[in-house]
Amino acid sequence: MTEHALHSGPLVPQLEALLAQRIRTGEWAVGERIPSETELATEIGVGRSSVREAVRLLVRDGLLDVRRGIGTFVVEPQTGDPGLEQLLRRSRILEVLEVRRALEAEAARLAAERAHPEDLAKVRRQLAERHARQPLDAEAFVEADLDFHQAVVELAGNSVLSALFASVRPVLHEVLVEMVRNEPIPDTACAHDALVHALGEGDPTAAVAATEANLDPVMATLREEGPRP
């Protein structure tokens, strides 16, 4: 049985990532009936409604199929229309990035208003680590990138924002690794540098602008580019 460690904050994204991991690792094989909502809720220690919503999202993404009166089954990934698959994947990534943009823009604004110069050392170290990583190593690059942004969120001094980022980080990690591996990613290193500069200057407007300059080109690329052959 896959170990599960849930954090404070929204449960559904964490449950979705947990159940998807069981499918992708083969713990639940194609054609297998997964445990019921009640069984999963009891095992994981969450409410049935949260499990139901996570399952609904996995059904939408084509990983599960609900057969009324029988149960919920793992299905074979769709391979007949790669263009459609790509569009669905991009739609999923965009949903996550929209939430990330709202969360990180507010965190950047607060961090610029509240951070002291001595607080920026960790952020600068994380920035250097991010720049040192190459996107060809998607896992290491995404981990370093999220470490940097988490450090910025922590500077905001808002425990709710920090908890929200921690709760969505597993989902962010999953979709960003997939994006780095499969999509053309604009180089936003300069936007990261601009964010740190804005924090050092205590300029909340520039901090928000740098955050948007980091995420908006990526989101625009996903929206505008059609399916690749």
Side-chain angles (χ1 to χ4, degrees), residues 20 23-24 58-65 73-77:
I23 295 170
R24 293 185 176 115
L58 294 174
V59 170
R60 181 201 64 181
D61 290 347
L63 296 177
L64 294 174
D65 178 43
F73 293 79
V74 179
V75 296
E76 186 77 37

Side-chain angles (χ1 to χ4, degrees), residues 60-185:
R60 181 201 64 181
D61 290 347
L63 296 177
L64 294 174
D65 178 43
V66 177
R67 303 174 190 173
R68 297 194 179 281
I70 302 175
T72 301
F73 293 79
V74 179
V75 296
E76 186 77 37
Q78 296 295 317
T79 57
D81 189 346
L84 178 60
E85 284 185 42
Q86 194 172 65
L87 287 174
L88 289 173
R89 184 178 70 242
R90 285 182 176 148
S91 176
R92 168 75 173 129
I93 293 171
L94 274 169
E95 287 183 357
V96 175
L97 291 182
E98 286 169 353
V99 173
R100 180 185 183 185
R101 185 183 188 276
L103 189 158
E104 290 190 16
E106 179 62 13
R109 182 184 70 79
L110 292 174
E113 293 176 348
R114 297 173 177 178
H116 300 289
E118 59 271 19
D119 297 330
L120 296 176
K122 180 180 179 181
V123 172
R124 291 194 173 99
R125 287 196 304 272
Q126 298 294 355
L127 179 64
E129 179 67 17
R130 181 201 182 274
H131 287 346
R133 298 291 181 178
Q134 294 296 321
L136 290 177
D137 184 351
E139 288 279 354
F141 177 76
V142 168
E143 194 67 19
D145 181 69
L146 290 176
D147 284 345
F148 166 76
H149 289 286
Q150 182 171 336
V152 174
V153 171
E154 290 171 354
L155 285 182
N158 184 302
S159 61
V160 175
L161 279 176
S162 294
L164 284 172
F165 188 88
S167 69
V168 301
R169 178 164 176 163
V171 179
L172 280 175
H173 184 276
E174 180 182 354
V175 300
L176 291 176
V177 168
E178 181 179 7
M179 184 172 64
V180 170
R181 287 174 175 165
N182 295 288
E183 303 291 345
I185 306 301

Side-chain angles (χ1 to χ4, degrees), residues 23-37:
I23 295 170
R24 293 185 176 115
T25 59
E27 182 178 335
W28 291 339
V30 172
E32 180 179 348
R33 179 184 179 278
I34 72 169
S36 69
E37 291 176 2

